[in-house]
Amino acid sequence: MLKRYQAHIDLAKDKLIIQGQEISFLGEAEIPKEEEEAAIQEPTIPGPAGTAIGQRSGAVMPVQDAPSQTSSQPAAQAQARPPQPAAPAQPAAPAAGVTPAHIDSLMAMGATREQAIQALQAAEDNVDMAASLIFF
């Protein structure tokens, strides 16, 4: 990814430089100790394809992992949902704008078909970005 976007790491300046844009590294005190705890407490905004985006970190969270800001359901009701029906034997058709070869690439990396489609939709069919959404 660094090579693709012509990025380099400047340790003397403590910055990541991507196409002339300098991004400072976080200081040790700025790094959340518990990533999951920080994500749960972080307010989110709706993102593409049903994802949620952290307002402070910019982290993209899948639908099932995204915390809700205005949840009106108690936890007991959320857990009492009926089980989802099993996925059909035939693979779901990809949504418009998602390349089947990109889906196959992500599946070869270990993602499920549904994860691949959802990530590609969120990443606007960018395989590298979709892979980072799934695996990182």
Side-chain angles (χ1 to χ4, degrees), residues 45-125:
I45 58 174
T51 59
I53 300 172
Q55 289 181 345
R56 289 186 296 254
S57 68
V60 178
M61 294 169 266
V63 177
Q64 63 273 18
D65 293 345
S68 175
Q69 282 183 316
T70 57
S71 178
S72 59
Q73 290 183 334
Q77 284 182 346
Q79 292 176 352
R81 291 183 190 154
Q84 296 293 326
Q90 296 177 339
V98 177
T99 308
H102 293 172
I103 296 170
D104 294 339
S105 296
L106 292 172
M107 289 175 63
M109 293 179 205
T112 65
R113 183 174 185 81
E114 292 75 24
Q115 287 175 325
I117 291 171
Q118 189 176 39
L120 285 166
Q121 287 173 337
E124 298 177 354
D125 204 33

Side-chain angles (χ1 to χ4, degrees), residues 5-85:
Y5 293 104
Q6 299 175 358
H8 65 275
I9 299 170
D10 188 337
L11 296 175
K13 291 183 180 179
D14 227 12
K15 296 186 185 273
L16 173 66
I17 303 169
I18 301 174
Q19 296 179 348
Q21 294 287 327
E22 293 185 356
I23 299 109
S24 298
F25 293 123
L26 292 176
E28 192 68 32
E30 297 172 307
I31 300 171
K33 300 300 179 209
E34 297 288 332
E35 287 186 28
E36 290 180 20
E37 183 178 300
I40 291 171
Q41 296 173 358
E42 181 176 22
T44 61
I45 58 174
T51 59
I53 300 172
Q55 289 181 345
R56 289 186 296 254
S57 68
V60 178
M61 294 169 266
V63 177
Q64 63 273 18
D65 293 345
S68 175
Q69 282 183 316
T70 57
S71 178
S72 59
Q73 290 183 334
Q77 284 182 346
Q79 292 176 352
R81 291 183 190 154
Q84 296 293 326

